[in-house]
Amino acid sequence: MNWSIAFEPLLPAWLLIAAAIVTIVLVLPGVIRRMRGAWIRAAAALILFAALFNPVALREDREPLPTVVAVVVDKSASQELDDRAETTRTAEAELEERLSEFQNVEVRTVEAGKAGGATVDGTLLFGPLETSLVDVPPDRLGAVVVLTDGEVHDVPKTADALGHKAPVHVLLSGHDDEFDRRLIIESAPRFGIVGETQTIRFRVIDDGVATSGARVRVNVTRDGNPLSSELVTPGATEEFTVEIAHGGPNILEFEAEPLDGELTEINNRAIASIEGIRENLRVLLVSGEPHSGERTWRNLLKSDAAVDLVHFTILRPPEKQDGTPINQLSLIAFPTRELFSEKIDEFDLIIFDRYQHRGVLPILYFDNIARYVEDGGAVLIAAGPDYAGDGSLFDTPLSPVLPVAPTGSITEKPFHASVTETGHKHPVTRGLKGGNLDPPEWGRWFRVIDVGAPEGDTVMSAADDKPLLVLNRVGEGRVAMLLSDHAWLWARGYEGGGPHVDLLRRLAHWLMKEPDLEEEVLRATARGGELTIERQTMGEETTPVTVRTPSGATKTVTLDPVEPGLWSATLPGDEIGLYRIEQGDKRAFAHVGAANPREFIDARSTDRLLAPLSEATGGRIARMSGADGAPIVPRIVPIRSGATFSGSDWIGVRMTEASILKGIVRVPLLGGYAGPAAFLALLVLLFLPAFTWFREGR
C-alpha cells in the first residue's frame, strides 16, 4: 500500500489569495511587534488556511503484476535431425517446471520456426516472439529463453532492436562435433529456350571434416528421370550443361552421395528449376481462295506474339488463263518446293483454310505433309464446300492422316455449334463461355460439311448432331478438322457472336502440343505450403495417385472430381523438397518451399548467430545436453537489480516491480465526513481562537 497527500481546496483560488493577504495584514504587524498572543493568532490562521485547502490522505490499493518469462521453442525442420527434438522437449519441460516454483512469474511459451511447414524460407523465431508479447509492457519482461539449434534467420542486428532490456538466454540442441555434407547451387538460369542448352554451377561442401581429396559422385535427374552421373571434387565449383527438354518447369535435381555418419542427407540434394520457353511458334496458313472469313485466322494468329505466321492465299490457280503477261502480275509465286519439301519440318502447324486441290501443290508434297504429321507435326483443316466436292484434300495422299471422309453432301441450315459430352471433358472446348447452356449463348452458323464416322474425338457438333470439330492423333502428330467455314460469323459478332478467340486459339495451341491442353496428363503445383494435384482425363473415373515426399515416405491420395474431365486434390506440403506423384505411367513433380532452403544450407548446430545478441543483453548461451547426452538445464535465479543476469551454471530473470492499481482510499485530514482526524482538527480550530482571546484578554 502507498500513502500520499493531496489538497482539495474548499474555496476558489482567488478567494484564498485574497483571504491570505488580509490575514497577513492583520497578523504580521503583531508578530513583528511581538504582541502578546500574536504567535497563537498566527497558528490559528495557519490551521484555518490548512482546513480551507482541505488536505486529503490517499491510499493506493495495488496488485503486483507477475514477471513474464518468454520460452521460445524452435520447431523448424532442422530440429528434427539427430536427437534435437527430444532434447528440446526435455529441456522445455524441465525449464517450465522450475519457473513454476516462482509465485510471481508468468511463462509464455512461443512455438516458432514454421513448425515443419514450408511457407517461409528459413527459421523465424524473433518475429513470432514479438507478436506473442504485444500485450506485455517492456518493463514486465524478465527474460527470454530460446531453445534452438542456433540456425535462426531473423536475429536482430542489435540488442536495441529487441524493444526490451530483458536478457536473452540461448539453450542449444545438437552437439559440438557434428559434421555434414551439403550441395549448393551457385548459379542457375530461371528461363531457357526449349531445345537449347543452359549451364548450372554447383558445389559440394563437407562441413566439419578435413577434405580428403576423394572425388564425390553427384547424380543428376530431370523431372525424376536419370540424366547424368558426375564425379566432382569437394569444395570446387563445377559446371553442368543441360538441354531444356520441354516447355514449362524443367526440374533438375542434383544429389551427392552421402558421407558416412553425416548429420543429414537432406541437404545432399539441391534443386534447379528452369522454365522452358518455346521460341516463336512457326505457323503456315494456306488460304485456298478469298472468302468472308479468310482474315479470321490471320488476325487471330497475328495477335499472338508467340506465333510467327507465314500466310499465302491462292489468288491465281494454274487453270486460270486470262492472257495477262507474267511480268505485269503483282503476285508472289507460291514457293511450294521451299515450304513443303525443304522447310516443312520447321513449321509447328500447317493450316489449310478452304483449300482445294487444283494443282497448286504437286501430289508428292501431300506425301511430305502426311509424313510430317506422323513424325510429330500438326495440320488443321478449316473446311468449306471445297472439302465435299472435286479437289477435296481427302482425294490426295493426305487422306490417311485425316480423321473424317466427306460424303459429298453439305447441310445448309441454321444451327448452334454445341459442345459434345466428350467436348465437355476436352481442354480445348471445356469451359467455353456459354457452352454449358442448351442451346448455347452463341450466334448461329449455317453450313456444315457432311462426313462419315469420324476417328478421334468429336468435341463439337452441328445440326442433327453431325460432327463439327474433330481432333485426332496420328503417329507422333495431331490433326484437327473444323467442318464449317462460318467461324467468322462469331468474329463479326453475328447474333452476339461467340468465343471464337478462345476456341480457335486453344485449338491451334493443342495442335502445337501446349502442355496445359493435353487430354491425358497428371500435373502437380506447389503454392505456399500446399501441394495441388490435378488429373486431366477423358475417362469416366481415375485411380488414386501415389505421392512420394522428399524424405522418401509414400502415401496414397484419392482425387475428387472438379469438373468434367478434371480431378484434383490438395494436401499440405509438410516437407521442403521435391515431391513425386505417380499414377500408372503418368508422373508429375513439384517442389515445395525454396529450391535451396536456408534451413539446411548448414544444418550443424551453432552459436555464431545468437551469441552476439545474448552477450549484449547479459544472457547466457549453453548446450542443453552434455557429452554423454544427459540433459543440462541451468539454475534459474531471480534478480531484483544489477546488470549481470547469468553465471557459469545459472541464468537470471529480471524481476519486475510493476503493479496494477485496483482502487484508492480517500481520508480527509481536516474536514469532510466525521472521523478521528476531522474531530481532532475541529478541537484544534476551536481551542486556538479561544486561547487567543484568553491570552490577549489578560
Side-chain angles (χ1 to χ4, degrees), residues 470-692:
V470 181
L471 309 178
N472 193 31
R473 295 171 180 261
V474 180
E476 298 295 324
R478 304 181 183 191
V479 178
M481 292 286 300
L482 182 59
L483 297 168
S484 176
D485 57 346
H486 281 184
W488 63 273
L489 292 172
W490 280 0
R492 299 284 180 87
Y494 177 76
E495 292 185 348
H500 74 286
V501 173
D502 285 344
L503 175 62
L504 300 183
R505 182 166 291 163
R506 289 186 196 177
L507 180 58
H509 283 275
W510 175 82
L511 286 163
M512 292 184 285
K513 302 179 181 179
E514 183 69 30
D516 290 341
L517 294 171
E518 292 295 313
E519 308 98 297
E520 299 290 338
V521 65
L522 181 65
R523 289 188 289 263
T525 56
R527 183 173 288 106
E530 289 186 337
L531 180 69
T532 300
I533 304 169
E534 290 184 342
R535 175 68 163 98
Q536 163 67 45
T537 179
M538 300 298 291
E540 296 296 327
E541 59 183 19
T542 186
T543 59
V545 299
T546 301
V547 178
R548 186 179 299 276
T549 66
S551 63
T554 60
K555 53 185 172 182
T556 302
V557 177
T558 301
L559 305 180
D560 299 320
V562 177
E563 52 185 295
L566 186 62
W567 303 66
S568 177
T570 300
L571 59 152
D574 295 329
E575 298 181 28
I576 299 174
L578 186 66
Y579 285 74
R580 297 167 172 82
I581 297 90
E582 299 178 355
Q583 185 191 56
D585 60 345
K586 303 291 182 185
R587 288 189 292 178
F589 304 88
H591 190 273
V592 173
N596 300 288
R598 291 192 296 174
E599 183 73 18
F600 294 106
I601 289 180
D602 188 350
R604 294 175 301 161
S605 176
T606 179
D607 62 356
R608 61 182 176 83
L609 299 176
L610 290 168
L613 182 66
S614 181
E615 293 173 2
T617 58
R620 180 169 182 255
I621 188 163
R623 291 283 176 190
M624 287 187 251
S625 59
D628 58 354
I632 301 175
V633 178
R635 294 184 299 112
I636 300 174
V637 178
I639 307 295
R640 293 292 176 182
S641 62
T644 302
F645 295 99
S646 64
S648 60
D649 63 346
W650 61 275
I651 57 177
V653 175
R654 182 174 62 90
M655 303 303 292
T656 180
E657 299 295 335
S659 61
I660 184 172
L661 181 63
K662 299 182 65 177
I664 297 177
V665 177
R666 178 178 174 277
V667 181
L669 298 179
L670 298 177
Y673 296 104
F679 183 72
L680 179 60
L682 179 60
L683 289 178
V684 172
L685 286 175
L686 291 176
F687 171 76
L688 287 177
F691 185 72
T692 301

Side-chain angles (χ1 to χ4, degrees), residues 91-430:
E92 179 187 0
E94 178 68 20
L95 191 63
E96 291 183 350
E97 181 180 354
R98 294 188 183 183
L99 288 171
S100 66
E101 298 175 358
F102 298 92
Q103 295 182 352
N104 203 30
V105 170
E106 175 189 345
V107 179
R108 292 278 184 98
T109 301
V110 182
E111 294 187 352
K114 300 194 280 85
T119 58
V120 180
D121 184 20
T123 299
L124 308 181
L125 300 185
F126 287 89
L129 170 64
E130 182 180 356
T131 301
S132 68
L133 297 178
V134 292
D135 61 331
V136 179
D139 61 339
R140 282 191 57 202
L141 187 62
V144 175
V145 185
V146 183
L147 309 181
T148 179
D149 56 13
E151 287 294 337
V152 183
H153 302 101
D154 64 343
V155 180
K157 294 182 179 180
T158 63
D160 294 337
L162 289 171
H164 58 76
K165 301 297 183 182
V168 176
H169 306 293
V170 180
L171 301 183
L172 292 173
S173 59
H175 307 281
D176 290 321
D177 56 352
E178 294 172 340
F179 61 93
D180 190 37
R181 169 172 289 168
R182 55 192 173 101
L183 187 149
I184 61 173
I185 302 291
E186 292 190 340
S187 65
R190 295 180 57 190
F191 304 96
I193 303 298
V194 174
E196 296 186 0
T197 59
Q198 294 290 339
T199 299
I200 300 171
R201 293 179 175 84
F202 67 95
R203 188 155 49 106
V204 175
I205 301 174
D206 289 343
D207 291 318
V209 295
T211 303
S212 62
R215 308 268 286 175
V216 177
R217 183 170 298 279
V218 175
N219 296 316
V220 186
T221 62
R222 179 173 55 201
D223 299 332
N225 299 311
L227 184 64
S228 178
S229 182
E230 308 287 324
L231 285 175
V232 304
T233 302
T237 298
E238 306 287 343
E239 293 187 352
F240 181 78
T241 301
V242 62
E243 180 181 350
I244 307 303
H246 55 78
N250 290 254
I251 299 179
L252 298 165
E253 185 177 26
F254 294 76
E255 183 174 4
E257 61 183 347
L259 184 67
D260 290 340
E262 67 173 318
L263 182 61
T264 177
E265 296 182 16
I266 294 178
N267 54 3
N268 289 28
R269 298 189 299 268
I271 300 295
S273 181
I274 305 177
E275 189 75 15
I277 301 174
R278 296 182 182 275
E279 280 191 299
N280 284 358
L281 301 169
R282 301 196 64 189
V283 178
L284 174 62
L285 172 60
V286 182
S287 298
E289 62 182 33
H291 64 97
S292 300
E294 179 185 1
R295 297 194 65 85
T296 299
W297 279 107
R298 177 181 176 84
N299 292 341
L300 176 71
L301 294 169
K302 291 292 288 183
S303 67
D304 193 336
V307 171
D308 284 339
L309 178 64
V310 178
H311 183 197
F312 284 92
T313 301
I314 309 301
L315 297 176
R316 186 181 176 87
E319 71 272 11
K320 185 175 182 179
Q321 300 293 332
D322 55 7
T324 305
I326 295 297
N327 60 0
Q328 296 181 16
L329 294 175
S330 298
L331 302 178
I332 300 174
F334 196 8
T336 55
R337 184 175 62 84
E338 290 84 353
L339 295 178
F340 295 100
S341 179
E342 297 178 359
K343 298 184 177 181
I344 186 171
D345 292 330
E346 296 181 8
F347 290 100
D348 298 288
L349 172 63
I350 299 175
I351 302 176
F352 290 103
D353 178 26
R354 285 194 57 169
Y355 181 85
Q356 185 177 7
H357 176 53
R358 293 189 293 184
V360 176
L361 288 180
I363 291 295
L364 175 63
Y365 291 159
F366 288 104
D367 278 326
N368 291 345
I369 298 172
R371 176 196 56 78
Y372 158 80
V373 172
E374 292 177 347
D375 290 345
V379 167
L380 167 62
I381 297 178
D386 51 272
Y387 193 70
D390 295 336
S392 170
L393 286 175
F394 196 79
D395 296 330
T396 69
L398 192 59
S399 61
V401 301
L402 299 181
V404 290
T407 62
S409 61
I410 301 174
T411 298
E412 297 196 14
K413 66 178 182 179
F415 66 90
H416 285 95
S418 301
V419 179
T420 65
E421 182 178 351
T422 299
H424 283 298
K425 299 177 183 179
H426 202 289
V428 170
T429 48
R430 182 180 63 225

Side-chain angles (χ1 to χ4, degrees), residues 403-471:
V404 290
T407 62
S409 61
I410 301 174
T411 298
E412 297 196 14
K413 66 178 182 179
F415 66 90
H416 285 95
S418 301
V419 179
T420 65
E421 182 178 351
T422 299
H424 283 298
K425 299 177 183 179
H426 202 289
V428 170
T429 48
R430 182 180 63 225
L432 286 175
K433 186 177 181 180
N436 293 326
L437 303 177
D438 189 17
E441 291 183 336
W442 302 333
R444 292 174 296 171
W445 293 2
F446 297 90
R447 179 161 58 207
V448 64
I449 311 304
D450 294 340
V451 295
E455 298 178 4
D457 297 322
T458 301
V459 296
M460 295 188 75
S461 61
D464 304 324
D465 290 331
K466 294 182 178 180
L468 177 62
L469 178 58
V470 181
L471 309 178

